[in-house]
């Protein structure tokens, strides 16, 4: 499942970055992307509806009338703190991206070597994993602004790094518009940024050691994220405890810390919104941090309004339902987080069984496969990546659910998968 970023690369909309860049450089022009124009169509109806955007303009970060001049693509390394969410509800993508910044090697494969100072021609490229292959997306660097404020992801504070803004635009182009980023599925973003597989852990029913799981996963370079459940409305809202409903967070660490003569498990999260943080135990400035005498306090804790905060593992499990861990190969929970070294990949294409043995919707699909290798125990790890048959970005995307069954009448090791729309 490890995917080399240099192989199987598809040019989205048949645009070749080097050809376009060299053409612009030779003529002293800045690239203008007609396939994703600086127009309302690129923002999309969902985000335009009800908004007063009469003063909306598209500007390049090199515009001297913006407060972020001169811009940088990356300055002193890419960090989750470079990201600040705008009006699009794309926390699901930004939380995944925030996690990816903790694995610089994987991040560099999709950011590549780009700059605002070397061979700048107003054109940038990014790579995403789609339909079993890497897709290279080319964009110009015109971004929607109102006055001095960027409409979508924007540099944080005095930061002048634009890689998150440009990467968000590239992902919006891949999906069809910025509106297609407005509320999505966190596992989709984790896969699209890595080509890996996602393990979903139910925090309420799965018997596992949360602290060990998170620490081991992060140390192994896995992406770890979570999301709060839906609130009373369809919009993300700040709750009394400081968490945001219907919102994705990056999990950035977990530790045991000494407090009042005992050890307490705590977990660290980052919010793409920036300053909105947890208000309960172990929050920034809490009595727990003031009173702890743990010698690692100065290494673990800074009281900053940067969207990152600690909370107890108990509070975390009470307020979040699922943990998402994305790795290049599937993982098991038998001993913390361990790779499944006997992983074998299969691909099913257009193999739909029309007669649905399980009942239900006519669109359900079933596939049969065999587990041929001998396993030490009775458990088999099965991970799925659902790939559409084309990169048609105009269609609505629906989450799928699946179940795996053993089929005794075929043989004891044969199972089939039942996919159905939620």
């Amino acid at each position: 499942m490890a995917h080399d970023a240099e192989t199987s690369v598809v040019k989205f909309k048949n645009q070749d970055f080097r050809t376009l860049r060299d053409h612009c450089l030779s003529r002293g022009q800045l690239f203008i992307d007609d396939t994703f124009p600086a127009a309302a169509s690129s923002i999309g109806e969902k985000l335009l509806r009800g908004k007063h955007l009469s003063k909306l303009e598209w500007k390049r970060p090199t515009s001297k009338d913006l407060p972020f001049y001169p811009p940088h693509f990356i300055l002193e390394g890419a960090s989750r703190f470079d990201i600040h969410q705008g009006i699009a509800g794309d926390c699901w993508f930004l939380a995944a991206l925030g996690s990816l910044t903790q694995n610089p090697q994987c991040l560099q494969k999709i950011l590549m070597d780009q700059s605002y100072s070397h061979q700048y021609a107003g054109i940038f490229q990014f790579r995403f994993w789609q339909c079993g292959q890497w897709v290279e997306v080319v964009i110009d660097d015109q971004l929607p602004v109102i006055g001095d404020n960027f409409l979508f992801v924007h540099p944080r504070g005095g930061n002048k790094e634009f890689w998150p803004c440009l990467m968000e635009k590239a992902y919006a182009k891949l999906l069809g518009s910025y509106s297609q980023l407005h509320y999505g599925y966190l596992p989709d973003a984790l896969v699209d940024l890595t080509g890996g597989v996602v393990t979903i852990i139910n925090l309420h029913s799965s018997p596992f050691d949360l602290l060990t799981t998170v620490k081991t996963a992060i140390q192994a370079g896995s992406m770890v994220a979570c999301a709060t459940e839906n609130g009373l409305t369809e919009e993300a809202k700040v709750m009394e405890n400081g968490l945001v409903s219907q919102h994705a967070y990056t999990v950035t660490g977990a530790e045991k810390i000494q407090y009042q003569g005992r050890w307490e498990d705590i977990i660290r999260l980052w919010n793409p919104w920036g300053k909105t943080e947890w208000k309960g135990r172990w929050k920034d400035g809490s009595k727990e941090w003031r009173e702890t005498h743990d010698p690692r306090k100065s290494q673990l804790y800074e009281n900053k309004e940067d969207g990152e905060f600690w909370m107890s593992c108990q509070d975390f499990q009470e307020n979040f339902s699922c943990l998402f861990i994305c790795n290049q190969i599937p993982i098991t929970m038998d001993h913390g987080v361990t790779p499944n070294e006997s992983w074998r990949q299969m691909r099913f294409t257009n193999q739909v069984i029309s007669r649905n043995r399980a009942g239900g919707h006519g669109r359900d699909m079933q596939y049969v496969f065999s587990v041929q290798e001998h396993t030490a125990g009775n458990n088999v790890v099965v991970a799925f990546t659902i790939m559409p048959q084309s990169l048609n970005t105009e269609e609505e995307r629906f989450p799928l659910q699946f179940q795996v069954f053993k089929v005794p009448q075929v043989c004891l090791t044969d199972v089939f998968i039942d996919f159905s729309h939620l």
Side-chain angles (χ1 to χ4, degrees):
M1 285 297 292
H3 307 292
D4 188 346
E6 298 302 323
T7 61
S8 302
V9 177
V10 175
K11 308 292 184 181
F12 189 62
K13 295 188 180 293
N14 295 316
Q15 291 177 300
D16 182 75
F17 171 77
R18 290 189 178 182
T19 301
L20 293 169
R21 182 195 61 186
D22 293 347
H23 177 82
C24 291
L25 289 173
S26 66
R27 287 163 174 74
Q29 301 172 343
L30 295 181
F31 176 62
I32 296 177
D33 185 11
D34 294 330
T35 70
F36 196 67
S41 61
S42 296
I43 295 177
E45 181 61 29
K46 278 192 292 187
L47 291 174
L48 289 173
R49 190 184 303 124
K51 300 288 194 308
H52 300 288
L53 303 179
S54 58
K55 297 182 179 180
L56 177 67
E57 300 177 273
W58 294 74
K59 294 184 179 181
R60 300 182 191 268
T62 50
S63 300
K64 293 186 179 181
D65 59 336
L66 291 175
F68 301 97
Y69 183 85
H72 299 274
F73 184 70
I74 295 177
L75 184 64
E76 299 179 352
S79 162
R80 59 189 175 277
F81 302 115
D82 300 335
I83 304 168
H84 196 290
Q85 187 176 343
I87 70 167
D90 60 349
C91 58
W92 59 282
F93 170 66
L94 300 179
L97 184 57
S99 185
L100 188 62
T101 61
Q102 298 194 106
N103 190 327
Q105 184 177 2
C106 289
L107 179 65
Q108 189 58 36
K109 288 182 180 180
I110 57 177
L111 290 183
M112 292 172 281
D113 187 16
Q114 307 186 78
S115 171
Y116 265 103
S117 57
H118 178 65
Q119 291 189 310
Y120 169 70
I123 182 172
F124 291 86
Q125 62 175 333
F126 300 89
R127 287 178 180 172
F128 303 98
W129 183 257
Q130 291 279 286
C131 302
Q133 57 200 357
W134 287 105
V135 177
E136 188 171 279
V137 181
V138 170
I139 59 165
D140 65 36
D141 63 346
Q142 297 181 90
L143 299 169
V145 298
I146 297 180
D148 293 340
N149 300 313
F150 289 90
L151 202 60
F152 301 112
V153 165
H154 47 278
R156 171 168 291 174
N159 181 320
K160 298 179 181 180
E161 296 178 76
F162 279 86
W163 70 267
C165 319
L166 299 173
M167 189 169 176
E168 179 192 43
K169 180 177 181 179
Y171 197 51
K173 177 179 176 178
L174 177 69
L175 299 187
S177 69
Y178 279 99
S179 285
Q180 294 300 320
L181 302 181
H182 194 57
Y183 295 122
Y185 306 104
L186 183 51
D188 287 354
L190 293 169
V191 172
D192 290 351
L193 291 174
T194 63
V197 290
V198 177
T199 299
I200 302 176
I201 302 170
N202 188 317
L203 295 173
H204 297 157
S205 62
S206 300
F208 73 104
D209 182 342
L210 175 61
L211 182 80
T212 301
T213 296
V214 172
K215 288 191 69 172
T216 308
I218 292 176
Q219 290 170 0
S222 301
M223 297 171 66
V224 187
C226 58
T228 52
E229 297 180 354
N230 295 350
L232 298 177
T233 67
E234 293 183 357
E235 297 293 323
K237 299 291 184 181
V238 181
M239 298 180 285
E240 290 184 5
N241 60 14
L243 297 178
V244 182
S245 64
Q246 203 166 324
H247 192 56
Y249 291 79
T250 302
V251 179
T252 62
E255 294 290 341
K256 280 188 179 293
I257 194 165
Q258 297 179 28
Y259 180 65
Q260 293 185 344
R262 66 180 187 277
W263 289 97
E264 187 156 352
D265 294 352
I266 57 175
I267 189 168
R268 188 175 61 195
L269 307 181
W270 173 74
N271 178 2
W273 279 14
K275 297 181 179 180
T276 306
E277 300 181 1
W278 166 249
K279 296 180 180 179
R281 298 180 68 250
W282 295 102
K283 68 176 182 179
D284 285 7
S286 66
K287 70 170 186 175
E288 288 81 16
W289 282 115
R290 292 195 305 270
E291 295 175 359
T292 182
H293 298 293
D294 193 294
R296 298 165 300 150
K297 175 179 177 178
S298 60
Q299 301 172 4
L300 299 176
Y301 168 65
E302 287 185 284
N303 189 358
K304 290 184 176 180
E305 291 186 349
D306 55 8
E308 190 162 74
F309 56 88
W310 291 90
M311 63 193 305
S312 72
C313 284
Q314 179 181 352
D315 286 332
F316 174 75
Q317 290 184 270
E318 289 177 356
N319 287 277
F320 294 84
S321 57
C322 289
L323 188 70
F324 303 93
I325 301 177
C326 185
N327 204 304
Q328 288 299 309
I329 58 177
I331 59 175
T332 65
M333 303 305 300
D334 297 339
H335 304 286
V337 177
T338 58
N340 187 322
E341 296 180 356
S342 61
W343 170 247
R344 183 163 58 96
Q345 183 175 343
M346 294 181 181
R347 178 175 296 193
F348 299 92
T349 305
N350 293 330
Q351 298 184 26
V352 180
I353 300 176
S354 58
R355 183 179 179 182
N356 182 7
R357 290 174 290 173
H361 300 88
R363 297 175 66 185
D364 291 356
M365 295 169 285
Q366 298 175 358
Y367 305 107
V368 178
F369 66 93
S370 298
V371 179
Q372 298 176 353
E373 294 85 355
H374 294 290
T375 57
N378 295 321
N379 296 325
V380 175
V381 177
V382 182
F384 301 99
T385 299
I386 312 299
M387 299 185 295
Q389 296 304 303
S390 69
L391 290 176
N392 184 350
T393 58
E394 299 303 320
E395 295 180 358
E396 288 289 337
R397 298 191 303 171
F398 297 96
L400 299 177
Q401 65 179 358
F402 60 84
Q403 292 179 301
V404 181
F405 302 95
K406 183 182 288 186
V407 186
Q409 61 266 37
V410 179
C411 74
L412 289 177
T413 56
D414 277 0
V415 294
F416 72 87
I417 317 165
D418 177 29
F419 290 94
S420 58
H421 284 290
L422 288 171

